[in-house]
Coordinates of all heavy atoms in Angstrom, one line a residue:
E1354 N -63.5 103.4 137.8 CA -63.7 104.6 138.6 C -64.5 105.7 137.9 O -65.4 106.3 138.4 CB -62.4 105.1 139.1 CG -62.5 106.4 140.0 CD -61.2 107.2 139.9 OE1 -60.2 106.8 139.2 OE2 -61.2 108.3 140.5
Y1355 N -64.1 105.9 136.6 CA -64.7 106.9 135.8 C -66.2 106.6 135.6 O -67.1 107.5 135.8 CB -64.0 107.1 134.5 CG -64.5 108.2 133.6 CD1 -64.2 109.5 133.9 CD2 -65.3 107.9 132.5 CE1 -64.7 110.5 133.0 CE2 -65.8 108.9 131.7 CZ -65.5 110.2 132.0 OH -65.9 111.2 131.1
V1356 N -66.5 105.4 135.3 CA -67.9 105.0 135.0 C -68.7 105.1 136.3 O -69.9 105.6 136.2 CB -67.9 103.5 134.5 CG1 -69.4 103.0 134.4 CG2 -67.3 103.5 133.1
L1357 N -68.2 104.7 137.4 CA -68.9 104.8 138.7 C -69.2 106.3 139.0 O -70.2 106.6 139.6 CB -68.1 104.1 139.8 CG -68.1 102.6 139.8 CD1 -67.2 102.1 140.9 CD2 -69.5 102.1 140.0
R1358 N -68.2 107.1 138.8 CA -68.4 108.6 139.1 C -69.5 109.1 138.2 O -70.4 109.9 138.7 CB -67.1 109.3 138.9 CG -66.1 109.1 140.0 CD -64.9 110.0 139.8 NE -63.8 109.7 140.7 CZ -63.8 110.2 142.0 NH1 -64.7 111.0 142.4 NH2 -62.7 109.9 142.8
V1359 N -69.5 108.8 136.9 CA -70.5 109.3 136.0 C -71.9 108.8 136.4 O -72.8 109.6 136.4 CB -70.1 109.0 134.5 CG1 -71.3 109.3 133.6 CG2 -68.9 109.7 134.1
W1360 N -71.9 107.5 136.7 CA -73.2 106.9 137.1 C -73.7 107.5 138.4 O -74.9 107.9 138.5 CB -73.1 105.4 137.2 CG -74.3 104.7 137.7 CD1 -75.5 104.5 137.1 CD2 -74.4 104.2 139.0 NE1 -76.4 103.9 138.0 CE2 -75.7 103.7 139.2 CE3 -73.6 104.1 140.1 CZ2 -76.2 103.1 140.3 CZ3 -74.0 103.5 141.3 CH2 -75.3 103.0 141.4
S1361 N -72.9 107.5 139.4 CA -73.4 107.9 140.7 C -73.7 109.4 140.8 O -74.6 109.7 141.6 CB -72.3 107.6 141.8 OG -71.1 108.4 141.5
L1362 N -73.1 110.2 140.0 CA -73.4 111.6 140.1 C -74.8 111.9 139.5 O -75.2 113.1 139.5 CB -72.3 112.4 139.4 CG -71.1 112.6 140.2 CD1 -69.9 113.1 139.4 CD2 -71.3 113.6 141.3
G1363 N -75.4 110.9 139.0 CA -76.8 111.1 138.6 C -77.7 111.4 139.8 O -78.9 111.9 139.6
A1364 N -77.3 111.1 141.0 CA -78.0 111.3 142.2 C -77.8 112.7 142.8 O -78.3 113.0 143.9 CB -77.8 110.2 143.2
K1365 N -76.9 113.4 142.2 CA -76.5 114.7 142.8 C -77.6 115.7 142.8 O -77.8 116.5 143.8 CB -75.3 115.3 142.1 CG -74.7 116.5 142.8 CD -73.4 116.9 142.1 CE -72.8 118.1 142.9 NZ -71.5 118.5 142.3
F1366 N -78.4 115.8 141.7 CA -79.5 116.8 141.6 C -80.8 116.1 141.5 O -80.9 115.0 140.7 CB -79.2 117.7 140.4 CG -78.0 118.5 140.5 CD1 -76.9 118.2 139.8 CD2 -77.9 119.6 141.3 CE1 -75.7 118.9 139.9 CE2 -76.8 120.4 141.4 CZ -75.7 120.0 140.7
A1367 N -81.9 116.6 142.1 CA -83.2 116.1 141.9 C -83.7 116.5 140.6 O -83.2 117.3 139.8 CB -84.1 116.6 143.0
A1368 N -84.9 115.9 140.2 CA -85.5 116.2 138.9 C -85.8 117.6 138.7 O -85.6 118.2 137.7 CB -86.7 115.3 138.7
A1369 N -86.2 118.3 139.8 CA -86.6 119.7 139.8 C -85.3 120.6 139.6 O -85.4 121.7 139.2 CB -87.3 120.1 141.0
E1370 N -84.2 120.1 140.0 CA -82.9 120.9 139.9 C -82.2 120.7 138.6 O -81.1 121.2 138.4 CB -82.0 120.6 141.1 CG -82.6 120.9 142.4 CD -81.8 120.4 143.6 OE1 -81.2 119.3 143.4 OE2 -81.7 121.1 144.6
G1371 N -82.7 119.8 137.8 CA -82.0 119.6 136.5 C -81.8 118.1 136.2 O -81.4 117.8 135.0
G1372 N -82.1 117.2 137.1 CA -82.0 115.8 136.8 C -80.7 115.2 136.9 O -79.7 115.8 137.2
A1373 N -80.6 113.9 136.5 CA -79.4 113.1 136.6 C -78.3 113.7 135.7 O -77.1 113.7 136.1 CB -79.7 111.7 136.2
W1374 N -78.6 114.1 134.5 CA -77.6 114.5 133.5 C -76.9 115.8 133.9 O -75.9 116.1 133.4 CB -78.2 114.5 132.1 CG -78.2 113.1 131.5 CD1 -79.3 112.4 131.3 CD2 -77.1 112.3 131.2 NE1 -79.0 111.1 130.8 CE2 -77.6 111.1 130.7 CE3 -75.7 112.5 131.1 CZ2 -76.8 110.0 130.3 CZ3 -74.9 111.5 130.7 CH2 -75.5 110.2 130.3
K1375 N -77.6 116.6 134.7 CA -76.9 117.8 135.2 C -75.7 117.5 136.0 O -74.6 118.1 135.8 CB -77.9 118.7 136.0 CG -77.3 120.0 136.4 CD -78.3 120.8 137.2 CE -77.6 122.1 137.7 NZ -78.5 123.0 138.5
G1376 N -75.8 116.6 137.0 CA -74.7 116.2 137.8 C -73.6 115.5 136.9 O -72.4 115.7 137.1
R1377 N -74.1 114.6 136.0 CA -73.1 113.9 135.2 C -72.3 114.9 134.3 O -71.1 114.8 134.1 CB -73.8 112.8 134.4 CG -74.3 111.7 135.3 CD -75.3 110.8 134.6 NE -75.7 109.7 135.4 CZ -76.8 108.9 135.2 NH1 -77.5 109.1 134.1 NH2 -77.1 108.0 136.1
R1378 N -73.1 115.8 133.7 CA -72.5 116.7 132.7 C -71.5 117.6 133.5 O -70.4 118.0 133.0 CB -73.6 117.5 132.0 CG -73.0 118.5 131.0 CD -74.2 119.1 130.1 NE -75.1 119.8 131.0 CZ -76.3 119.4 131.3 NH1 -76.8 118.3 130.8 NH2 -77.1 120.2 132.0
S1379 N -71.9 118.1 134.7 CA -71.0 119.0 135.4 C -69.7 118.3 135.8 O -68.6 118.9 135.8 CB -71.7 119.4 136.7 OG -71.9 118.3 137.6
Y1380 N -69.7 117.0 136.0 CA -68.5 116.2 136.3 C -67.7 116.0 135.0 O -66.4 116.2 135.0 CB -68.8 114.9 137.0 CG -67.6 113.9 136.9 CD1 -66.5 114.1 137.7 CD2 -67.7 112.8 136.1 CE1 -65.5 113.2 137.7 CE2 -66.6 111.9 136.1 CZ -65.5 112.1 136.9 OH -64.4 111.3 136.8
I1381 N -68.3 115.5 134.0 CA -67.6 115.2 132.7 C -66.9 116.4 132.2 O -65.7 116.2 131.7 CB -68.6 114.6 131.7 CG1 -69.2 113.2 132.1 CG2 -68.0 114.5 130.3 CD1 -70.3 112.7 131.3
L1382 N -67.5 117.6 132.2 CA -66.8 118.7 131.7 C -66.0 119.5 132.7 O -65.4 120.5 132.3 CB -67.9 119.7 131.1 CG -68.8 119.1 130.0 CD1 -69.9 120.1 129.5 CD2 -67.9 118.7 128.8

Side-chain angles (χ1 to χ4, degrees):
E1354 179 205 359
Y1355 184 77
V1356 171
L1357 284 176
R1358 287 185 185 276
V1359 172
W1360 171 74
S1361 64
L1362 281 165
K1365 187 173 184 178
F1366 297 102
E1370 298 174 322
W1374 280 107
K1375 180 179 179 181
R1377 291 166 179 163
R1378 185 171 59 250
S1379 63
Y1380 164 71
I1381 291 173
L1382 299 179

